[in-house]
Amino acid sequence: MRRWLQGPVVWGLVFVLFFCGVLYAQNAQDESLAKKKAELFIQKAQKAQQAGKVDEAVEAFQDAYEVYPKNFGAILLLGDMLCTIGMFSDAQDVLKKIPLSSLPPNGQAQVHLLFAKIYLASSSLELAVGSYNDALKANPANETARIRLSVAHQCFGAERKSLELLKGLKNIEGLPYRDRVMAFFIDTYHDNFSRALETAQGLSSDIAAMEDEDGDIAMKAFWETSWIFFLANLPLAANPLTGSLYF
């Protein structure tokens, strides 16, 4: 009797395992296809964003998320775009959908930085400081968070905290223009003239490039000299709140 039962049981198990294997392979194939579709929608959204077609970009980002909900990168890009065009309330609603644990450290830091931008738009500086702090905790190598947190502490009169953050600043080159301007002002205020002058060199080159695009050769030559940028902005750097103007 036992031998007779063993045959059906074994074959039943084989059938179940085979069926599960087929389902797993099908799910993996479906997920791969969904990923590819999401990538195409993201590419479409980014092209629309570059062309200034906001509604089309929003729709494409949403399509990317709907076709593959595990891809929170699409939501992050959508939130970033909404912040850029000043739709802060919508951006906040979108970013709240992202479980931070699903993102790598730099992605988590980017979410916190966007929330800081949203809080600043509503003049909630204290909440923005908290978000900058969270961004730096998520990714200590995020120099944007470090610079902005340093400037924020300076605004609150916490000069020691501001200076400590500056000491950990390692790489300014390659950061967005506004972040480098803030770094220049806060470095100059804390008498870190050596690094401030290096930053001024990069900033003056950027300004010269802008003047070159406008065809103003004289202004291009003027701003190409880094010490001119340095001296021209030195009076502004004496005010500890100047850097906050670039938030």
Coordinates of all heavy atoms in Angstrom, one line a residue, residues 42 46 49 61 72-83 94-95 98 114:
I42 N 10.8 56.8 -19.1 CA 11.6 57.8 -18.4 C 12.4 58.6 -19.4 O 12.5 59.8 -19.3 CB 12.6 57.1 -17.4 CG1 11.8 56.5 -16.2 CG2 13.7 58.0 -17.0 CD1 12.7 55.7 -15.3
Q46 N 12.2 62.6 -19.9 CA 13.3 63.5 -19.8 C 13.4 64.4 -21.1 O 13.8 65.5 -21.0 CB 14.6 62.7 -19.6 CG 14.7 62.1 -18.2 CD 15.8 61.1 -18.0 OE1 16.3 60.4 -18.9 NE2 16.4 61.1 -16.8
Q49 N 10.8 67.0 -20.8 CA 11.2 68.0 -19.8 C 12.2 69.0 -20.4 O 12.1 70.2 -20.2 CB 11.9 67.3 -18.6 CG 12.3 68.2 -17.4 CD 12.8 67.5 -16.3 OE1 12.9 66.2 -16.3 NE2 13.2 68.2 -15.2
F61 N 6.5 60.2 -16.7 CA 7.1 59.8 -15.4 C 6.1 58.9 -14.7 O 6.4 57.9 -14.1 CB 7.5 61.0 -14.6 CG 8.8 61.5 -14.9 CD1 9.0 62.9 -15.1 CD2 10.0 60.7 -15.0 CE1 10.3 63.4 -15.4 CE2 11.2 61.2 -15.3 CZ 11.4 62.6 -15.5
F72 N 11.4 53.3 -8.2 CA 11.1 54.6 -7.5 C 12.0 55.7 -8.1 O 11.8 56.8 -7.7 CB 11.3 54.4 -6.0 CG 10.4 53.5 -5.4 CD1 10.8 52.2 -5.0 CD2 9.0 53.8 -5.2 CE1 9.9 51.3 -4.4 CE2 8.1 53.0 -4.6 CZ 8.5 51.7 -4.2
G73 N 12.9 55.3 -9.0 CA 13.7 56.4 -9.6 C 12.8 57.3 -10.5 O 13.1 58.5 -10.5
A74 N 11.8 56.8 -11.1 CA 10.9 57.6 -11.9 C 10.2 58.6 -11.0 O 10.0 59.8 -11.4 CB 9.8 56.7 -12.6
I75 N 9.8 58.2 -9.8 CA 9.1 59.1 -8.9 C 10.0 60.2 -8.4 O 9.7 61.3 -8.2 CB 8.5 58.3 -7.7 CG1 7.4 57.4 -8.2 CG2 8.0 59.2 -6.6 CD1 6.2 58.1 -8.8
L76 N 11.3 59.8 -8.1 CA 12.3 60.7 -7.7 C 12.6 61.8 -8.7 O 12.6 63.0 -8.4 CB 13.6 60.0 -7.3 CG 14.8 60.8 -6.9 CD1 14.4 61.7 -5.7 CD2 16.0 59.9 -6.5
L77 N 12.7 61.3 -10.0 CA 12.9 62.3 -11.1 C 11.7 63.2 -11.3 O 11.8 64.4 -11.6 CB 13.1 61.5 -12.4 CG 14.5 60.8 -12.5 CD1 14.5 59.9 -13.7 CD2 15.6 61.8 -12.6
L78 N 10.5 62.7 -11.1 CA 9.2 63.5 -11.2 C 9.2 64.5 -10.1 O 8.9 65.7 -10.3 CB 8.0 62.6 -11.1 CG 6.6 63.3 -11.1 CD1 6.5 64.2 -12.3 CD2 5.5 62.3 -11.0
G79 N 9.5 64.1 -8.9 CA 9.6 65.0 -7.7 C 10.6 66.1 -7.9 O 10.3 67.3 -7.6
D80 N 11.7 65.8 -8.5 CA 12.8 66.7 -8.8 C 12.3 67.8 -9.8 O 12.5 69.0 -9.6 CB 14.0 66.0 -9.3 CG 15.2 66.9 -9.4 OD1 15.1 68.1 -9.0 OD2 16.3 66.5 -9.9
M81 N 11.6 67.3 -10.9 CA 11.2 68.2 -11.9 C 10.1 69.1 -11.3 O 10.1 70.3 -11.6 CB 10.6 67.4 -13.1 CG 10.2 68.2 -14.3 SD 9.1 67.4 -15.5 CE 7.6 67.4 -14.6
L82 N 9.2 68.6 -10.5 CA 8.1 69.4 -10.0 C 8.7 70.5 -9.0 O 8.2 71.6 -9.0 CB 7.1 68.5 -9.2 CG 6.3 67.6 -10.0 CD1 5.5 66.6 -9.1 CD2 5.3 68.4 -10.9
C83 N 9.7 70.2 -8.3 CA 10.4 71.2 -7.5 C 11.0 72.3 -8.4 O 11.0 73.4 -8.0 CB 11.5 70.5 -6.6 SG 10.9 69.7 -5.1
V94 N 4.3 63.5 -4.2 CA 4.9 62.4 -5.0 C 6.1 61.8 -4.3 O 6.2 60.5 -4.2 CB 5.5 63.1 -6.4 CG1 6.5 62.1 -7.0 CG2 4.3 63.4 -7.3
L95 N 6.9 62.6 -3.6 CA 8.1 62.1 -2.9 C 7.7 61.2 -1.7 O 8.4 60.3 -1.3 CB 9.0 63.2 -2.5 CG 9.6 64.0 -3.6 CD1 10.3 65.2 -3.1 CD2 10.6 63.1 -4.4
I98 N 7.8 57.3 -1.9 CA 9.0 56.6 -2.0 C 9.4 56.0 -0.6 O 9.7 56.8 0.3 CB 10.2 57.5 -2.5 CG1 9.8 58.1 -3.9 CG2 11.5 56.7 -2.6 CD1 10.9 59.0 -4.4
L114 N 15.5 67.3 -1.7 CA 14.3 67.8 -2.3 C 13.2 68.3 -1.3 O 12.6 69.3 -1.4 CB 13.6 66.8 -3.2 CG 14.4 66.5 -4.5 CD1 13.8 65.3 -5.3 CD2 14.5 67.7 -5.4

